[in-house]
Amino acid sequence: MMNLSFVWVFSSLMMVFCGLWSFAKSHKHMLNSLLSLEFMMLGVFSLMVLEVVSVGSEMYFVLFFLTLVACEGALGLSLLVFVVRSHGSDYLSVFNVLEC
């Protein structure tokens, strides 16, 4: 029978790798890229929780990481709204490197 912590680690690593694969393969829309980044951060967060629980130390660092991930998500969504308002869509192909 499989140990529960092994299943948790395996599922967390699969979340990170699936988010990385999704980020690399589906980079047509900005929203897809942001969602795959959030999925990767969720996998990293669950790995950190497992490590902190197994060591038995304080949860302050995990809560700090969760706060940073939430701020990153809010910043990404605000950038998405700005891009949609200024360019009309969230396609990454509409950005021109020469435009400022």
Side-chain angles (χ1 to χ4, degrees), residues 2-98:
M2 296 177 73
N3 194 1
L4 185 60
S5 64
F6 175 74
V7 173
W8 195 358
V9 168
F10 183 72
S11 64
S12 299
L13 286 175
M14 284 302 295
M15 285 173 67
V16 171
F17 288 127
C18 286
L20 186 63
W21 181 77
S22 168
F23 185 72
K25 290 295 181 187
S26 64
H27 54 274
K28 188 175 183 179
H29 292 279
M30 188 173 177
L31 183 62
N32 286 344
S33 300
L34 290 173
L35 284 174
S36 62
L37 286 174
E38 286 295 321
F39 194 62
M40 286 182 349
M41 289 297 114
L42 200 60
V44 170
F45 174 71
S46 62
L47 281 172
M48 285 177 59
V49 166
L50 181 66
E51 183 65 31
V52 167
V53 166
S54 67
V55 172
S57 64
E58 300 287 332
M59 296 287 287
Y60 296 118
F61 183 69
V62 175
L63 292 174
F64 179 70
F65 180 76
L66 187 62
T67 305
L68 288 179
V69 168
C71 291
E72 180 254 336
L75 181 65
L77 286 176
S78 65
L79 286 174
L80 179 68
V81 168
F82 175 73
V83 165
V84 168
R85 286 186 179 175
S86 64
H87 288 64
S89 69
D90 68 334
Y91 286 118
L92 292 177
S93 62
V94 299
F95 297 125
N96 191 358
V97 177
L98 299 176

